[in-house]
Amino acid sequence: MAKRGYTRPLRGNAGGTRMAEVAEKEQHGPDSEVGGIAADRLRSIVERIERLEEERKALASDIKDIFAEAKSAGFDVKVLRQVLRLRKQEPAEVEEQETLLDLYKRALGM
């Protein structure tokens, strides 16, 4: 059994690099790397995602409140959503869709 502070060379040790890797892992503590995964880095990523998801929930709630405000002011929320969708598109794309819609409506006698 190896003593603390000593790392015995592993098989296939090319130039002592594997031994240095094992020694580095021991220096960072047992929680630093688990099963080949950097636990601290993983924890950081998960916590950042959790914070952003909380922010997304808060933003969704704010947007819902704004739609409720628009509705109480007499705006049609369904049409407002369509306007928002159109504003995200390129002008040429919007024009093409409107042309096709007009063509389809005329073909159906609308």
Side-chain angles (χ1 to χ4, degrees), residues 36-97:
I37 297 173
D40 293 338
R41 177 82 168 129
L42 177 61
R43 186 176 299 108
S44 170
I45 289 169
V46 168
E47 288 171 353
R48 286 170 43 209
I49 291 169
E50 288 172 342
R51 278 193 303 275
L52 290 172
E53 286 178 345
E54 285 299 317
E55 289 178 27
R56 181 174 24 189
K57 284 181 189 177
L59 288 172
S61 176
D62 292 346
I63 291 169
K64 183 180 176 182
D65 292 343
I66 294 170
F67 277 117
E69 178 185 337
K71 185 175 182 176
S72 70
F75 294 103
D76 186 320
V77 173
K78 187 175 180 180
V79 174
L80 186 56
R81 289 184 190 276
Q82 289 176 342
V83 168
L84 291 168
R85 193 175 330 112
L86 288 172
R87 286 174 56 104
K88 291 179 185 177
Q89 296 177 354
E90 294 293 324
E93 206 176 316
V94 173
E95 186 178 341
E96 181 181 347
Q97 287 180 4

